[in-house]
Amino acid sequence: MNIHEYQAKELFTQFGVATPAGKVAADAQQALQIAQELGGKGLVVKAQVHAGGRGKGHFTNGFKGGVHVVDSAEKAAEIAGQMIGQTLVTHQTGPEGKLVSKVLIAKSVDIAKEHYFAILFDRASGGHAIIASTEGGMNIEEVAEKTPEKIIKEFVHPTLGLQAYQARKVAAALGLQGSQASQAAKLFSALWNLYLKSDCSLVEINPLAITTDGQVVALDAKFNFDDNALYRQKAVVAMRDTSEEDPREVAASEFGLNYIGLDGNIACLVNGAGLAMSTMDIIKLHGGEPANFLDVGGGATREQVTAAFKIILGDPKVKGILVNIFGGIMVCNVIANGIVAAAQEVGLKIPLVVRLEGNNVEAGKQTLAQSGIDIISADGLTDAAQKVVAAVK
Ligand code: GDP
Ligand code: MN
């Protein structure tokens, strides 16, 4: 799960991570009021979307930049008015861009130097890692590729946590001294606390700015939260903005389905994540393109199968469906009943290929054969993939 920058700012304030004051506005009028409250000069207006690269982005109406430094409340309101309701395209949004419905109005700072600082889950070390760099404000992947020596890494033990000496070590590696080194170390420790207490899997500050008057502040924020811990993060869940997410994925999560939308035209409905991945692979092997990854889970109910069918059929790109079920915990005839019920309820109009194997497979096949629904039945993965690829051609 992700959150917006203005929400990240609230978390920063709560945990004592230094960041300029700011508030979110949903229209130009609100922007004007907030800009006035913040002093009416030296402000920054920032489009709020779940994507980075806003500064260098452009709006589909031609307006340039999702981050603008302004010097009056009126100008802040004017810029806000030009951003809200428009679509912002950045290197992270894809060419279709993202609709901006809110902007952050914040106190601007004069930047002397931009650094990069992140804490993330590091599977390789079985702990957490700090990634920092003096090359802030730009794409960190590019820095890592072109100048790997400019990437600072510090591993954090999962139970010991970030030690004070480590915070100071990273600050020193960024070339910070004196008061700036202490401010940075304090900020890193506060951020570590926030990362741990909020079950984050990533917090990224780019840029971590050194201001011309010597302050160390977080100017941007990207957060990822561990979805498996959301049950104990009510405050975080309350910040979820489903309008930023794929609507198909939002619907799937309501029914406990593991769904990821893709760009192809062959929808897959599978039980088990491993089987779902091999189904996608074999579709590609036979020249097709999967429209999604969909795992209904080992114990899928009829309701879940119906919901899964509706999500699949709600996607206009889908030209055929491949159901690939292995009857294990879930016996084949129960799934077959679910498929029939769902197909009847949603009114199937595209080719449906079904491959069943495992417990009660004969009863399952019989259910499908007697249903009167136009089903192409398949034996084995290869046969299923070839049939569905042929059916959508
Ligand atoms: P991103 O492009 O989506 O990563 O958005 P950022 O919040 O990182 O802003 C992009 C760039 O705008 C930063 O790297 C800074 O150079 C600049 N910027 C952001 N906030 C301020 C600010 O308060 N004052 C000034 N002068 N520049 C800012
Ligand atoms: Mn940034």
Side-chain angles (χ1 to χ4, degrees):
M1 202 201 105
N2 302 325
I3 56 174
H4 287 290
E5 182 189 13
Y6 77 90
Q7 297 167 318
K9 236 182 201 328
E10 288 165 15
L11 288 176
F12 280 171
T13 306
Q14 196 182 322
F15 282 84
V17 177
T19 191
K23 266 190 179 167
V24 72
D27 56 46
Q29 186 54 39
Q30 246 181 342
L32 181 70
Q33 198 184 335
I34 293 165
Q36 283 165 344
E37 281 170 25
L38 289 171
K41 55 182 193 300
L43 302 167
V44 61
V45 183
K46 307 176 81 175
Q48 297 297 286
V49 288
H50 285 185
R54 295 163 301 170
K56 294 192 178 76
H58 67 273
F59 290 81
T60 49
N61 66 356
F63 187 64
K64 288 224 161 31
V67 176
H68 282 253
V69 176
V70 297
D71 224 21
S72 73
E74 291 69 30
K75 190 72 187 165
E78 184 196 320
I79 300 282
Q82 272 170 296
M83 289 182 179
I84 294 169
Q86 298 299 324
T87 302
L88 176 64
V89 179
T90 81
H91 70 93
Q92 287 186 7
T93 61
E96 70 281 7
K98 273 183 178 284
L99 179 71
V100 176
S101 46
K102 291 186 175 109
V103 296
L104 168 71
I105 313 287
K107 276 257 191 224
S108 170
V109 294
D110 291 327
I111 304 170
K113 174 93 187 89
E114 299 190 23
H115 294 283
Y116 174 96
F117 185 87
I119 309 175
L120 50 89
F121 225 56
D122 182 54
R123 291 177 200 280
S125 70
H128 309 278
I130 285 177
I131 309 289
S133 177
T134 51
E135 307 307 293
M138 45 183 133
N139 189 345
I140 196 70
E141 284 83 6
E142 221 172 288
V143 177
E145 197 175 316
K146 290 188 184 144
T147 48
E149 71 282 0
K150 291 193 170 156
I151 301 279
I152 302 156
K153 262 194 185 180
E154 181 73 20
F155 296 100
V156 182
H157 191 279
T159 50
L160 295 179
L162 180 68
Q163 302 292 300
Y165 84 87
Q166 291 182 297
R168 289 195 300 270
K169 188 174 151 192
V170 175
L174 289 174
L176 302 176
Q177 292 172 337
S179 153
Q180 285 167 20
S182 345
Q183 288 178 62
K186 186 169 163 250
L187 188 150
F188 300 161
S189 299
L191 192 66
W192 164 258
N193 224 355
L194 163 54
Y195 169 90
L196 195 71
K197 298 257 167 61
S198 306
D199 287 310
C200 299
S201 51
L202 168 81
V203 290
E204 182 188 74
I205 300 179
N206 189 21
L208 171 72
I210 313 297
T211 67
T212 48
D213 61 353
Q215 306 297 307
V216 180
V217 290
L219 272 203
D220 189 13
K222 175 179 175 175
F223 275 68
N224 283 167
F225 296 92
D226 179 355
D227 289 347
N228 293 317
L230 289 178
Y231 73 93
R232 62 181 187 191
Q233 295 292 348
K234 301 278 181 286
V236 170
V237 174
M239 291 194 248
R240 185 170 172 196
D241 179 356
T242 50
S243 74
E244 287 281 330
E245 299 174 22
D246 185 327
R248 300 169 300 180
E249 288 175 21
V250 175
S253 74
E254 278 166 28
F255 287 91
L257 304 164
N258 296 309
Y259 177 96
I260 297 162
L262 300 167
D263 296 328
N265 60 1
I266 299 174
C268 312
L269 190 157
V270 188
N271 65 338
L275 192 60
M277 286 199 271
S278 43
T279 303
M280 288 164 35
D281 279 350
I282 204 153
I283 287 173
K284 279 190 95 83
L285 182 68
H286 291 285
E289 287 292 334
N292 65 278
F293 168 96
L294 172 55
D295 167 22
V296 297
T301 62
R302 195 170 123 170
E303 287 69 35
Q304 282 178 305
V305 175
T306 310
F309 259 95
K310 284 187 181 163
I311 291 164
I312 284 173
L313 293 171
D315 183 345
K317 285 200 300 283
V318 170
K319 298 288 177 268
I321 305 175
L322 172 55
V323 173
N324 187 9
I325 298 294
F326 179 74
I329 305 167
M330 180 88 203
V331 295
C332 288
N333 52 334
V334 171
I335 277 280
N337 283 323
I339 296 169
V340 172
Q344 281 164 345
E345 192 182 328
V346 298
L348 194 65
K349 289 182 195 70
I350 53 175
L352 169 64
V353 177
V354 179
R355 178 257 179 171
L356 291 178
E357 200 52 81
N359 279 341
N360 288 6
V361 64
E362 289 313 323
K365 283 187 173 171
Q366 211 176 345
T367 302
L368 295 181
Q370 288 168 354
S371 68
I373 298 168
D374 196 5
I375 292 171
I376 305 167
S377 100
D379 286 308
L381 273 172
T382 300
D383 187 41
Q386 284 168 342
K387 280 179 173 158
V388 74
V389 170
V392 301
K393 281 237 163 90

